Amino acid sequence: MVKKQPGWALPDLKEAQKRSHHQTVIEKALFAIPPHIQMIGQGKKYYLRTYGCQANERDSETLAGILESMQFTPCSEPSEADVILLNTCAIRKNAEDKVLGELGSLKRLKSDKPDLIFAVCGCMAQEEEIVTLLLEKYRHVQLIFGTHNIHRLPELLYEVMSEGKRVVEVLSKEGEVIENLPVRRFGKHKAWVNIMYGCDKFCTYCIVPYTRGKERSRAMEDILDEVRILKEEGYKEVTLLGQNVNSYGKDAGIVGGFASLLEETAKIGIERIRFTTSHPWDFTDEMIDVIARYDNIMPFIHLPVQSGDSEILKIMGRRYTREQYLTLFHKIKERMPNCAISTDIIVGFPNESEEQFENTLSLVDECQFDNAFTFIYSPREGTPAARMADNVSLEVKQHRLARLNERWNQYAKLKNDAYLGKTVRVLVDGASKKNDQIMSGYTETNKLVNFVAKDAKAGDIVTVKITGCKTFSLDGEQCE
Ligand code: 5AD
Ligand code: SF4
């Protein structure tokens, strides 16, 4: 057992479950690097690796911004680094295993470079069980901090560097919304824009409400200002981010909620607007209407269903039935026939019967999703589902996942086949990884296209004629 040191703040699951009723305070000047810390990264390099979702990607842009404000420079090889920072994900056990494996294999670097600092942050740092494991078995990890106190990185890192101490600061109660954090965007043409933090849905399998705290919306003007600046800087696409974007504004009483925010963002005139993730429960007609009315809001919606069986949905705490999901799905398709829809599905939820699983397959048959992210249920400590007895073997779960993947892949291919001979608008990301004569980018409906370019360069939006269709991508040729 590692003894708790004075000054450590360890994660507390019970505390993380609570929801305070006070309205979120927007802090515009909370972040400042004290003068004695401003240069501590001079001549030093950091290696930052991100696991998990877009919220983590966006947090990493802030972490990079903070480290660079302290004069650290980035490097792409862990062996060159003075600080190795892993921004972690806790959504499923295999995400955690990846991080633990990486920490294990990178440990050897410490013997060549004793001053090397290992730091762990993100969702895994919010878990009691994981922090105990890191403290006891991963003794080379010197700094652990959570999702609510990224702004404290300068002071925490300084403590580790100047005193050689192990530092743990994980807050289990969400903080305020901080508006003045530095950011180093990783993309030049596409940007992530947080619109809210946390989640209050408490689906029974999900750890996110515990690791990311209660829902807190940013002020609409702050979001719109960020988008305006991005447009001025030449960005072509923004993705509005939240665990649950359609709840935007409810915590703060923002009039019009997400539909209004989307509309105001569209009026700024940036070329492409995307958003993720939408919960089917509070997806309103106004939102569908705004998406349909503005050409610069992309006709693509990620709409996780999780299961096609109403009984399982109820035990998952998803707040809708199979029929309600289908009604929403068809309403979207009726209003926007060209809208692509993708989904998330969990198989092998505790006690899922063969018949219940087949209901998921038949829902996939009815919806014919453009894309799907499919997972085997993974019990997460502290969630209600983790306490449920489960009579489904891993073998059965794996077989169901394979059957589900085969099914949705057929429809993904069918959807892609419909593009043959059509022309589409593609925002170019750059040369394809496999062949630099070929450029790649995404259609408005979020289809990956590899195409023979004429004069297209990264950041352009070009017209491409589709000449070939695969399950996960399209091939094409740039038009005149
Ligand atoms: N096990 C498996 N998949 C999960 N997801 C969330 N929690 C779990 C879990 N415990 C999936 C859901 C969610 C996506 C981001 O991850 O499908 O939509
Ligand atoms: Fe998890 Fe449900 Fe919140 Fe999504 S809506 S983050 S699945 S609790």
Side-chain angles (χ1 to χ4, degrees):
M1 267 280 283
V2 171
K3 233 181 97 214
K4 188 178 172 200
Q5 303 293 313
W8 281 5
L10 298 172
D12 177 340
L13 222 132
K14 291 239 159 52
E15 197 54 42
Q17 283 170 336
K18 291 184 192 155
R19 287 295 183 265
S20 61
H21 294 295
H22 82 274
Q23 196 150 332
T24 308
V25 176
I26 312 262
E27 291 279 359
K28 301 241 164 172
L30 193 67
F31 178 75
I33 303 179
H36 64 290
I37 305 184
Q38 282 169 5
M39 303 301 280
I40 62 166
Q42 201 156 48
K44 293 191 171 9
K45 292 184 177 165
Y46 75 91
Y47 172 82
L48 169 60
R49 180 143 182 215
T50 312
Y51 299 80
C53 67
Q54 295 95 335
N56 259 18
E57 287 289 338
R58 179 61 189 78
D59 280 353
S60 281
E61 294 182 334
T62 299
L63 291 163
I66 295 176
L67 287 165
E68 290 174 30
S69 305
M70 295 154 75
Q71 313 309 317
F72 284 95
T73 51
C75 63
S76 53
E77 288 300 324
S79 56
E80 295 169 14
D82 300 283
V83 175
I84 293 181
L85 174 56
L86 304 187
N87 187 10
T88 64
C89 168
I91 196 91
R92 283 170 292 276
K93 185 168 180 301
N94 56 7
E96 294 179 348
D97 290 345
K98 266 194 234 159
V99 172
L100 296 175
E102 180 85 345
L103 275 177
S105 73
L106 291 177
K107 184 180 171 187
R108 66 189 155 76
L109 297 174
K110 184 98 178 157
S111 39
D112 295 340
K113 206 189 256 181
D115 289 340
L116 173 62
I117 294 171
F118 280 94
V120 172
C121 65
C123 287
M124 277 171 78
Q126 295 293 139
E127 293 181 277
E128 277 177 55
E129 209 183 20
I130 292 289
V131 171
T132 307
L133 180 75
L134 293 176
L135 289 174
E136 286 177 5
K137 301 262 164 63
Y138 294 77
R139 292 185 180 248
H140 56 298
V141 175
Q142 264 180 294
L143 170 59
I144 303 173
F145 62 102
T147 56
H148 300 308
N149 53 345
I150 284 179
H151 63 286
R152 291 265 303 146
L153 176 58
E155 284 88 351
L156 300 177
L157 196 53
Y158 178 72
E159 245 181 87
V160 176
M161 287 170 77
S162 60
E163 297 171 40
K165 286 199 308 194
R166 266 186 131 180
V167 173
V168 186
E169 190 179 279
V170 180
L171 312 179
S172 297
K173 228 180 83 36
E174 65 290 333
E176 312 301 349
V177 168
I178 305 173
E179 281 299 344
N180 67 328
L181 295 174
V183 53
R184 216 249 307 151
R185 307 233 178 230
F186 298 148
K188 288 200 178 77
H189 315 291
K190 304 202 269 197
W192 309 111
V193 175
N194 281 321
I195 64 166
M196 61 195 299
Y197 307 95
C199 180
D200 282 348
K201 290 287 186 287
F202 287 101
C203 300
T204 56
Y205 51 80
C206 187
I207 199 167
V208 169
Y210 311 92
T211 60
R212 294 225 162 232
K214 78 165 185 172
E215 279 175 7
R216 288 148 289 146
S217 298
R218 292 179 68 198
M220 196 179 295
E221 262 320 303
D222 290 330
I223 299 167
L224 298 176
D225 280 346
E226 186 173 339
V227 175
R228 280 185 203 109
I229 292 169
L230 287 165
K231 180 172 180 262
E232 275 163 28
E233 289 174 351
Y235 281 85
K236 298 284 172 64
E237 179 177 300
V238 290
T239 302
L240 306 181
L241 286 183
Q243 297 301 332
N244 231 311
V245 289
N246 17 12
S247 294
Y248 171 75
K250 287 187 183 169
D251 59 304
I254 296 171
V255 183
F258 186 58
S260 254
L261 174 67
L262 255 186
E263 178 152 27
E264 293 308 313
T265 310
K267 283 185 197 158
I268 291 173
I270 193 153
E271 247 135 323
R272 289 184 164 198
I273 298 159
R274 299 187 186 278
F275 53 91
T276 194
T277 291
S278 305
H279 192 298
W281 180 68
D282 45 8
F283 204 113
T284 62
D285 291 353
E286 289 76 29
M287 289 173 202
I288 301 176
D289 187 56
V290 173
I291 300 165
R293 276 194 291 117
Y294 287 87
D295 286 347
N296 58 347
I297 303 178
M298 295 298 101
F300 167 70
I301 300 173
H302 184 58
L303 197 65
V305 66
Q306 313 297 1
S307 165
D309 182 81
S310 293
E311 190 57 33
I312 292 282
L313 287 169
K314 192 166 166 202
I315 309 171
M316 284 178 163
R318 287 294 289 179
R319 308 172 184 215
Y320 54 84
T321 61
R322 170 194 174 94
E323 291 69 32
Q324 286 166 329
Y325 182 90
L326 289 172
T327 303
L328 172 64
F329 182 94
H330 292 302
K331 206 194 293 180
I332 294 170
K333 286 280 187 182
E334 257 161 47
R335 182 74 207 267
M336 293 177 280
N338 294 332
C339 185
I341 300 184
S342 65
T343 200
D344 289 344
I345 299 174
I346 297 175
V347 300
F349 190 74
N351 310 313
E352 181 190 58
S353 67
E354 174 61 21
E355 195 190 332
Q356 289 171 326
F357 170 67
E358 282 172 14
N359 284 338
T360 296
L361 290 182
S362 73
L363 181 130
V364 169
D365 288 336
E366 181 162 346
C367 295
Q368 307 196 354
F369 294 106
D370 289 82
N371 199 358
F373 300 87
T374 56
F375 313 102
I376 291 180
Y377 165 70
S378 169
R380 307 284 63 212
E381 200 212 352
T383 61
R387 292 191 291 275
M388 296 174 193
D390 186 1
N391 64 11
V392 192
S393 71
L394 182 61
E395 221 184 339
V396 168
K397 292 180 195 230
Q398 284 167 337
H399 187 53
R400 285 184 189 162
L401 182 70
R403 288 161 67 197
L404 174 63
N405 285 343
E406 199 191 312
R407 190 69 65 97
W408 80 258
N409 283 355
Q410 282 174 22
Y411 294 114
K413 173 77 167 69
L414 201 74
K415 292 275 154 178
N416 281 352
D417 284 346
Y419 281 78
L420 192 65
K422 295 205 168 128
T423 54
V424 289
R425 300 283 286 160
V426 174
L427 170 54
V428 184
D429 282 332
S432 129
K433 280 182 199 130
K434 291 181 205 142
N435 178 349
D436 63 7
Q437 306 297 305
I438 303 282
M439 301 293 265
S440 72
Y442 285 84
T443 64
E444 298 193 335
T445 50
N446 211 36
K447 306 272 177 199
L448 174 63
V449 184
N450 295 306
F451 64 97
V452 183
K454 289 203 161 77
D455 55 358
K457 44 186 198 324
D460 289 349
I461 295 179
V462 296
T463 306
V464 173
K465 181 163 187 186
I466 300 303
T467 54
C469 309
K470 302 183 179 131
T471 305
F472 304 113
S473 65
L474 302 169
D475 293 329
E477 284 164 12
Q478 187 185 351
C479 304
E480 291 303 332

